[in-house]
Coordinates of all heavy atoms in Angstrom, one line a residue:
Q666 N -25.4 11.0 7.0 CA -26.4 11.0 6.0 C -27.1 12.3 5.8 O -27.5 12.6 4.6 CB -27.4 9.9 6.3 CG -26.9 8.5 6.2 CD -27.9 7.4 6.4 OE1 -27.6 6.2 6.2 NE2 -29.0 7.7 7.0
A667 N -27.1 13.1 6.8 CA -27.6 14.5 6.7 C -26.6 15.4 6.1 O -26.9 16.5 5.8 CB -28.1 15.0 8.1
G668 N -25.3 14.9 6.1 CA -24.3 15.8 5.5 C -23.9 16.9 6.4 O -23.5 18.0 5.9
M669 N -24.0 16.8 7.8 CA -23.8 17.9 8.7 C -22.7 17.6 9.7 O -22.6 16.5 10.2 CB -25.1 18.1 9.5 CG -26.3 18.6 8.6 SD -27.8 18.8 9.6 CE -27.2 20.1 10.8
D670 N -21.9 18.6 10.0 CA -21.0 18.6 11.1 C -21.8 18.4 12.4 O -22.9 18.9 12.5 CB -20.2 19.9 11.2 CG -19.3 20.2 10.0 OD1 -19.2 19.3 9.2 OD2 -18.7 21.3 10.0
I671 N -21.2 17.8 13.4 CA -21.8 17.7 14.7 C -21.4 18.9 15.5 O -20.2 19.0 15.9 CB -21.4 16.4 15.4 CG1 -21.8 15.2 14.6 CG2 -22.1 16.3 16.8 CD1 -21.4 13.8 15.2
P672 N -22.3 19.8 15.9 CA -22.0 21.0 16.6 C -21.5 20.7 18.0 O -22.0 19.7 18.6 CB -23.3 21.8 16.6 CG -24.2 21.1 15.7 CD -23.8 19.7 15.6
I673 N -20.7 21.5 18.6 CA -20.2 21.3 19.9 C -21.1 22.0 20.9 O -21.1 23.3 21.0 CB -18.7 21.8 20.1 CG1 -18.2 21.5 21.5 CG2 -18.5 23.2 19.6 CD1 -16.7 21.6 21.6
F674 N -22.0 21.3 21.5 CA -23.0 21.9 22.4 C -22.6 21.8 23.9 O -23.1 22.6 24.7 CB -24.4 21.1 22.2 CG -25.1 21.5 20.9 CD1 -25.6 20.5 20.1 CD2 -25.3 22.8 20.6 CE1 -26.2 20.8 19.0 CE2 -26.0 23.1 19.4 CZ -26.4 22.1 18.6
G675 N -21.8 20.8 24.2 CA -21.6 20.6 25.7 C -20.1 20.2 26.0 O -19.3 20.0 25.1
T676 N -19.9 20.0 27.3 CA -18.6 19.7 27.8 C -18.2 18.3 27.5 O -17.0 18.0 27.4 CB -18.5 20.0 29.3 OG1 -19.4 19.2 30.0 CG2 -18.7 21.5 29.6
T677 N -19.1 17.4 27.3 CA -18.7 16.0 27.0 C -18.0 16.0 25.6 O -17.0 15.3 25.5 CB -20.0 15.1 26.8 OG1 -20.8 15.2 28.0 CG2 -19.6 13.7 26.6
H678 N -18.5 16.8 24.7 CA -17.9 16.9 23.4 C -16.5 17.6 23.6 O -15.5 17.2 23.0 CB -18.8 17.8 22.5 CG -18.4 17.9 21.1 ND1 -19.3 18.0 20.0 CD2 -17.2 18.1 20.5 CE1 -18.7 18.1 18.9 NE2 -17.4 18.2 19.2
A679 N -16.5 18.7 24.3 CA -15.3 19.5 24.5 C -14.2 18.7 25.2 O -13.0 19.0 25.1 CB -15.6 20.8 25.2
D680 N -14.5 17.8 26.0 CA -13.5 17.0 26.7 C -12.7 16.2 25.7 O -11.6 15.7 26.1 CB -14.2 16.0 27.7 CG -14.6 16.6 29.0 OD1 -14.1 17.7 29.3 OD2 -15.5 16.1 29.7
H681 N -13.2 16.0 24.5 CA -12.5 15.1 23.6 C -12.0 15.9 22.3 O -11.0 15.5 21.8 CB -13.5 14.0 23.2 CG -13.8 13.1 24.3 ND1 -14.9 13.3 25.1 CD2 -13.2 12.0 24.8 CE1 -14.9 12.4 26.1 NE2 -13.9 11.6 25.9
T682 N -12.7 16.9 21.9 CA -12.2 17.8 20.9 C -12.9 19.1 21.0 O -14.1 19.2 21.5 CB -12.5 17.2 19.5 OG1 -12.1 18.1 18.5 CG2 -14.0 16.9 19.3
H683 N -12.2 20.2 20.7 CA -12.7 21.5 20.9 C -13.3 22.1 19.7 O -13.6 23.3 19.6 CB -11.6 22.5 21.4 CG -10.4 22.5 20.5 ND1 -10.3 23.1 19.3 CD2 -9.1 21.9 20.7 CE1 -9.1 23.0 18.8 NE2 -8.4 22.3 19.6
Q684 N -13.6 21.2 18.7 CA -14.2 21.7 17.4 C -15.4 20.9 17.1 O -15.7 19.8 17.7 CB -13.2 21.5 16.3 CG -11.9 22.2 16.4 CD -12.0 23.7 16.2 OE1 -12.9 24.2 15.6 NE2 -11.1 24.5 16.8
D685 N -16.3 21.4 16.2 CA -17.3 20.6 15.7 C -16.7 19.4 15.0 O -15.6 19.5 14.5 CB -18.1 21.4 14.6 CG -18.9 22.6 15.2 OD1 -19.0 22.7 16.4 OD2 -19.4 23.4 14.4
I686 N -17.4 18.3 15.0 CA -16.9 17.1 14.4 C -17.2 17.2 12.9 O -18.4 17.3 12.5 CB -17.5 15.8 15.0 CG1 -17.0 15.7 16.4 CG2 -17.0 14.6 14.2 CD1 -17.8 14.7 17.2
P687 N -16.2 17.3 12.0 CA -16.5 17.6 10.6 C -17.1 16.5 9.8 O -16.9 15.3 10.1 CB -15.1 17.9 10.1 CG -14.2 17.1 10.9 CD -14.8 17.1 12.3
C688 N -17.9 16.9 8.8 CA -18.5 15.9 7.9 C -17.9 16.2 6.5 O -18.2 17.3 6.0 CB -20.0 16.0 7.9 SG -20.8 14.8 6.8
A689 N -17.2 15.3 6.0 CA -16.6 15.5 4.6 C -17.7 15.4 3.6 O -18.6 14.5 3.7 CB -15.5 14.5 4.4
P690 N -17.7 16.2 2.5 CA -18.8 16.0 1.5 C -18.7 14.7 0.8 O -17.7 14.0 0.8 CB -18.5 17.2 0.6 CG -17.1 17.6 0.8 CD -16.8 17.2 2.2
A691 N -19.8 14.4 0.1 CA -19.9 13.2 -0.6 C -18.8 13.2 -1.8 O -18.5 14.2 -2.3 CB -21.3 13.0 -1.2
L692 N -18.3 12.0 -2.1 CA -17.3 11.9 -3.1 C -18.0 12.2 -4.5 O -19.2 12.0 -4.7 CB -16.8 10.5 -3.2 CG -15.6 10.2 -2.3 CD1 -16.0 10.2 -0.8 CD2 -15.0 8.8 -2.6
S693 N -17.2 12.8 -5.4 CA -17.7 13.1 -6.7 C -17.9 11.7 -7.5 O -17.4 10.7 -7.1 CB -16.7 13.9 -7.5 OG -15.5 13.2 -7.7
D694 N -18.6 11.8 -8.6 CA -18.8 10.6 -9.4 C -17.5 10.0 -9.9 O -17.3 8.8 -9.9 CB -19.7 11.0 -10.6 CG -21.2 11.3 -10.3 OD1 -21.5 11.0 -9.1 OD2 -21.9 11.8 -11.1
E695 N -16.6 10.9 -10.2 CA -15.3 10.5 -10.7 C -14.5 9.7 -9.6 O -13.9 8.7 -9.9 CB -14.4 11.6 -11.2 CG -14.9 12.3 -12.5 CD -16.2 13.1 -12.3 OE1 -16.5 13.5 -11.1 OE2 -16.9 13.4 -13.3
M696 N -14.6 10.2 -8.4 CA -13.9 9.5 -7.3 C -14.6 8.2 -7.0 O -13.9 7.2 -6.7 CB -14.0 10.4 -6.0 CG -13.2 11.7 -6.2 SD -13.5 12.9 -4.8 CE -12.3 12.3 -3.6
I697 N -15.9 8.1 -7.1 CA -16.6 6.9 -6.8 C -16.3 5.8 -7.9 O -16.1 4.7 -7.6 CB -18.1 7.2 -6.8 CG1 -18.5 8.0 -5.5 CG2 -18.9 5.8 -6.7 CD1 -19.9 8.6 -5.5
K698 N -16.2 6.3 -9.1 CA -15.9 5.3 -10.2 C -14.5 4.9 -10.3 O -14.1 3.9 -10.8 CB -16.3 6.0 -11.6 CG -17.8 6.2 -11.8 CD -18.1 6.9 -13.1 CE -19.6 7.2 -13.2 NZ -19.9 8.0 -14.4
G699 N -13.6 5.7 -9.6 CA -12.2 5.5 -9.6 C -11.8 4.5 -8.5 O -12.4 3.5 -8.2
D700 N -10.7 4.9 -7.8 CA -10.3 4.1 -6.6 C -11.0 4.6 -5.4 O -10.5 5.3 -4.6 CB -8.8 4.3 -6.5 CG -8.1 3.2 -5.6 OD1 -8.9 2.5 -4.9 OD2 -6.9 3.1 -5.7
Y701 N -12.2 4.1 -5.2 CA -13.2 4.6 -4.3 C -12.7 4.7 -2.8 O -12.8 5.7 -2.2 CB -14.5 3.7 -4.3 CG -15.5 4.0 -3.2 CD1 -16.1 5.3 -3.2 CD2 -15.8 3.1 -2.3 CE1 -17.1 5.5 -2.2 CE2 -16.7 3.3 -1.3 CZ -17.3 4.6 -1.2 OH -18.2 4.8 -0.2
E702 N -12.1 3.6 -2.3 CA -11.7 3.5 -0.9 C -10.5 4.4 -0.7 O -10.3 5.1 0.3 CB -11.4 2.1 -0.5 CG -12.6 1.2 -0.3 CD -13.1 0.7 -1.6 OE1 -12.4 0.8 -2.7 OE2 -14.3 0.1 -1.7
H703 N -9.6 4.5 -1.7 CA -8.4 5.4 -1.6 C -8.9 6.9 -1.6 O -8.4 7.7 -0.8 CB -7.5 5.1 -2.8 CG -6.3 6.0 -2.8 ND1 -5.1 5.6 -2.2 CD2 -6.0 7.2 -3.4 CE1 -4.2 6.5 -2.3 NE2 -4.7 7.5 -3.1
E704 N -9.9 7.2 -2.5 CA -10.4 8.5 -2.6 C -11.2 8.9 -1.3 O -11.2 10.1 -0.9 CB -11.3 8.7 -3.8 CG -10.6 8.5 -5.1 CD -9.6 9.7 -5.4 OE1 -9.5 10.6 -4.6 OE2 -9.0 9.6 -6.5
T705 N -11.7 7.9 -0.6 CA -12.3 8.2 0.7 C -11.3 8.8 1.7 O -11.6 9.8 2.4 CB -13.0 6.9 1.3 OG1 -14.0 6.5 0.4 CG2 -13.6 7.2 2.7
G706 N -10.1 8.3 1.7 CA -9.1 8.8 2.5 C -8.7 10.3 2.1 O -8.5 11.2 2.9
N707 N -8.6 10.5 0.7 CA -8.4 11.8 0.2 C -9.4 12.8 0.7 O -9.2 14.0 0.9 CB -8.2 11.8 -1.3 CG -6.9 11.2 -1.7 OD1 -5.9 11.4 -1.0 ND2 -6.9 10.6 -2.9
Q708 N -10.7 12.3 0.7 CA -11.8 13.2 1.1 C -11.6 13.6 2.6 O -12.0 14.8 2.9 CB -13.1 12.5 0.9 CG -14.3 13.4 0.8 CD -14.4 14.2 -0.6 OE1 -13.4 14.3 -1.3 NE2 -15.5 14.7 -0.9
I709 N -11.2 12.7 3.4 CA -10.9 13.0 4.8 C -9.8 14.1 4.9 O -10.0 15.1 5.6 CB -10.5 11.8 5.6 CG1 -11.7 10.8 5.7 CG2 -10.0 12.1 7.0 CD1 -11.3 9.4 6.2
F710 N -8.7 13.9 4.2 CA -7.7 14.9 4.2 C -8.2 16.3 3.7 O -7.8 17.3 4.2 CB -6.5 14.5 3.3 CG -5.9 13.2 3.7 CD1 -5.4 12.3 2.7 CD2 -5.7 12.8 5.0 CE1 -4.8 11.1 3.1 CE2 -5.1 11.6 5.4 CZ -4.7 10.8 4.4
G711 N -9.0 16.3 2.7 CA -9.6 17.5 2.1 C -10.4 18.3 3.1 O -10.2 19.5 3.2
I712 N -11.2 17.7 3.9 CA -12.0 18.4 4.9 C -11.2 19.0 6.0 O -11.4 20.0 6.5 CB -13.2 17.6 5.4 CG1 -14.3 18.5 6.1 CG2 -12.8 16.5 6.3 CD1 -15.0 19.4 5.1
F713 N -10.2 18.2 6.4 CA -9.3 18.7 7.5 C -8.5 19.9 7.0 O -8.3 20.9 7.7 CB -8.4 17.6 8.0 CG -9.0 16.8 9.1 CD1 -10.0 16.0 8.9 CD2 -8.5 16.9 10.4 CE1 -10.6 15.2 9.9 CE2 -9.0 16.2 11.4 CZ -10.1 15.3 11.2
E714 N -8.0 19.9 5.7 CA -7.3 21.0 5.2 C -8.2 22.2 5.0 O -7.9 23.4 5.4 CB -6.7 20.6 3.8 CG -5.9 21.8 3.2 CD -5.2 21.4 1.9 OE1 -5.4 20.2 1.5 OE2 -4.6 22.2 1.3

Side-chain angles (χ1 to χ4, degrees):
Q666 291 181 168
M669 294 178 63
D670 297 352
I671 302 176
I673 182 166
F674 286 130
T676 61
T677 307
H678 186 143
D680 281 340
H681 297 89
T682 177
H683 54 75
Q684 301 288 339
D685 295 348
I686 297 164
C688 182
L692 276 67
S693 67
D694 290 346
E695 290 73 22
M696 295 170 84
I697 294 168
K698 292 176 183 176
D700 197 344
Y701 171 66
E702 289 80 12
H703 183 87
E704 294 293 0
T705 296
N707 284 328
Q708 201 75 341
I709 293 172
F710 301 143
I712 195 66
F713 271 69
E714 182 178 357

